[in-house]
Amino acid sequence: MQNSEAMALSAALLAVAGDLTQRIHEGVTARGFTDLRPAHGFAFARLAPDGATVTDLAAHLGVTKQAASQLVDEIVRKGYAERRPHPEDARARLIVLTGRGWACTRAAEEAAGEVVGRWAELLGEGEVGALRERLVRIAPYGPIRPAW
């Protein structure tokens, strides 16, 4: 593959990722969660299903512990998450989603389903399935983080 082709593919993947992020955010907002930014969704992806420490969240998002702590303060204040004692580390706190956080996560899943459904209309179910399989082969473990 020539460099220009690699750049074109890179640009297309980044454009699709940005569009997907924006459309999920719009879907979440349309479902009543108007006090969040897309970065919160990336944090929710790490907090679900078992919670995470601030250190875990910082590593997942690619930010400092201080930045992750500020984000956690914000989502706790807004009622999307809560701090609990860590079951294995008395010095750490586990950040877990509340009912409101889980409702927002479900709203994001619904919005993502709508977007991917449009892709299936455009490309066909088989092509979308093949795309998912290939992308998972390239990046099987994430992390799913914003492009700061």
Side-chain angles (χ1 to χ4, degrees):
M1 177 176 282
Q2 294 188 6
N3 287 345
S4 60
E5 292 170 336
M7 285 302 296
L9 176 59
S10 299
L13 286 169
L14 291 169
V16 168
D19 182 67
L20 177 62
T21 299
Q22 183 59 37
R23 290 182 186 274
I24 291 172
H25 179 68
E26 289 169 358
V28 167
T29 300
R31 287 166 173 82
F33 300 96
T34 59
D35 58 345
L36 296 173
R37 301 182 317 272
H40 294 112
F42 290 100
F44 288 10
R46 177 60 184 91
L47 296 177
D50 299 321
T53 65
V54 169
T55 301
D56 295 334
L57 189 58
H60 174 79
L61 294 174
V63 299
T64 65
K65 287 186 228 179
Q66 292 81 3
S69 183
Q70 288 175 348
L71 188 136
V72 167
D73 288 345
E74 184 179 0
I75 61 175
V76 166
R77 187 177 67 254
K78 292 179 178 185
Y80 291 100
E82 63 186 13
R83 292 177 177 90
R84 293 186 183 164
H86 194 287
E88 298 167 7
D89 184 350
R91 299 168 300 159
R93 303 288 285 170
L94 192 64
I95 315 305
V96 297
L97 295 176
T98 62
R100 179 177 168 95
W102 281 108
C104 183
T105 299
R106 286 189 298 276
E109 289 175 359
E110 291 169 6
E114 290 170 1
V115 175
V116 174
R118 287 188 210 111
W119 294 353
E121 291 171 8
L122 180 66
L123 302 174
E125 293 284 339
E127 287 290 324
V128 171
L131 175 63
R132 181 190 55 78
E133 289 173 12
R134 288 178 178 102
L135 291 173
V136 167
R137 274 196 346 224
I138 293 168
Y141 304 110
I144 301 169
R145 66 169 56 142
W148 304 103

